Amino acid sequence: MQQLQAKSLEMRTPQATKTAVLVIGGAEDKVHGREILRTFFGRAGASDAYITIIPSASREPSIIGGRYIRIFEEMGANKVELLDIREREQCEATFIQASLEACTGVFLTGGDQLRLCGVLSDTPAMDIIRQRVRSGQLTLAGTSAGAAVMGHHMIAGGGSGESPNRSLVDMATGLGFIPEIIVDQHFHNRNRMVRLLSALSAHPDRMGIGIDEDTCAMFERDGWLQVMGKGSVTIIDPTEVTHTNEPHVGATEPLTIHNLRLHILSHGDRFHLYQRIVLPAAYRIS
């Protein structure tokens, strides 16, 4: 019965849209199979791709941007361009806006998510990216810090290794490409479960997405996300939470959260962000 239900779900699953948003947990393979980067390259148009790299999160934007330029050029992209945006005023430049209007893919590199948001948020450049992503004209990818900015609420920093408490996580406003989620990256690699739980206790109307290194949650425009890469994507769903003591305890006191739902997804698994449906990879293959 379970197999029949899964197959029925697959038959109703829409075909992948051309464009997507790739949320990458950091440290993605840049040398061997490059599966995640190749998927971004393909969704951005493959040999017709015009890819724009935005390394604003990095302290060494030219170096890290140059590395991605070489990778996508080796893959055969039609055009790869570095937008070395370090100040907000640059986002008003005509050539930067023209590049963002014309490109088929935007790649946000790692670094410091607060720096990235400080440069891009509420700028003409950001308006162009957001509008084109929402209209399905642009494939967007962000790795590490570039992944952290995807939600409206953003984890800006914090600790690990303790019981969940409010002092473990520093929150800020992200870029809001997928406002329903709170993303934490390098997830199991840096033991970040407790800080994602701490973030969700303050924002139980959001979905927690923890993404391991060399792992990607690829969001389609129809609401499905698909996992790819060598690690896992942890989904914490607080929709049915019945109680949290978050508003009533001190910053370092342990948090109480009742009735959370947890999913651990690996390569090929899917999850629907709005319907809360999980579709295992094994049934799609069979």
Side-chain angles (χ1 to χ4, degrees):
M1 177 64 70
Q2 188 177 10
Q3 291 187 5
L4 289 174
Q5 290 174 341
K7 285 182 177 295
S8 176
L9 281 174
E10 181 182 5
M11 290 175 67
R12 299 200 306 269
T13 302
Q15 294 298 309
T17 51
K18 181 180 179 182
T19 59
V21 177
L22 284 76
V23 188
I24 307 166
E28 72 281 357
D29 174 20
K30 302 178 182 67
V31 179
H32 300 104
R34 297 174 171 175
E35 177 193 19
I36 295 170
L37 295 177
R38 286 191 180 279
T39 299
F40 168 73
F41 163 74
R43 287 302 189 96
S47 59
D48 294 324
Y50 173 0
I51 295 172
T52 295
I53 313 295
I54 301 180
S56 302
S58 175
R59 286 191 173 89
E60 298 178 323
S62 298
I63 294 174
I64 193 168
R67 186 173 191 187
Y68 284 106
I69 285 176
R70 288 191 295 274
I71 288 171
F72 293 126
E73 285 180 342
E74 288 174 7
M75 290 182 184
N78 180 51
K79 182 176 182 179
V80 188
E81 190 169 42
L82 177 67
L83 294 186
D84 189 355
I85 305 172
R86 306 190 189 195
E87 304 293 338
R88 291 177 58 83
E89 293 74 18
Q90 293 176 261
C91 293
E92 300 181 10
T94 302
F95 79 93
I96 285 178
Q97 294 185 41
S99 175
L100 294 173
E101 289 281 11
C103 67
T104 59
V106 168
F107 194 96
L108 306 174
T109 73
D112 182 341
Q113 51 263 45
L114 284 174
R115 182 185 297 116
L116 180 58
C117 287
V119 170
L120 287 185
S121 62
D122 300 318
T123 64
M126 187 66 239
D127 291 342
I128 293 170
I129 298 172
R130 181 178 288 111
Q131 186 276 326
R132 297 194 67 217
V133 168
R134 287 179 177 174
S135 63
Q137 300 174 342
L138 183 69
T139 290
L140 174 69
T143 185
S144 190
V149 303
M150 291 292 178
H152 173 73
H153 297 293
M154 176 181 76
I155 295 177
S160 62
E162 301 179 32
S163 299
N165 66 75
R166 284 166 35 209
S167 70
L168 275 179
V169 62
D170 300 318
M171 300 299 294
T173 301
L175 296 180
F177 294 110
I178 310 172
E180 301 89 349
I181 66 175
I182 298 176
V183 176
D184 211 346
Q185 72 280 29
H186 305 279
F187 192 62
H188 284 115
N189 313 82
R190 300 186 186 178
N191 192 22
R192 287 177 167 173
M193 174 70 85
V194 291
R195 80 174 193 178
L196 183 54
L197 288 169
S198 301
L200 286 173
S201 70
H203 302 285
D205 58 333
R206 309 292 157 152
M207 184 80 65
I209 309 287
I211 309 176
D212 293 351
E213 293 178 357
D214 195 18
T215 308
C216 171
M218 181 169 66
F219 289 79
E220 307 285 0
R221 294 180 64 222
D222 55 21
W224 285 100
L225 74 81
Q226 180 172 340
V227 178
M228 67 180 68
K230 72 176 186 181
S232 61
V233 170
T234 301
I235 297 177
I236 305 174
D237 181 0
T239 303
E240 299 178 4
V241 163
T242 55
H243 171 73
T244 176
N245 65 350
E246 194 273 343
H248 310 295
V249 296
T252 59
E253 294 181 74
L255 288 169
T256 295
I257 314 172
H258 296 176
N259 212 41
L260 281 169
R261 179 170 289 185
L262 178 71
H263 305 285
I264 308 293
L265 308 183
S266 60
H267 185 87
D269 290 343
R270 292 189 185 188
F271 178 80
H272 199 283
L273 188 60
Y274 309 112
Q275 300 175 21
R276 308 294 198 263
I277 297 170
V278 181
L279 188 61
Y283 294 124
R284 294 202 311 282
I285 294 172
S286 63

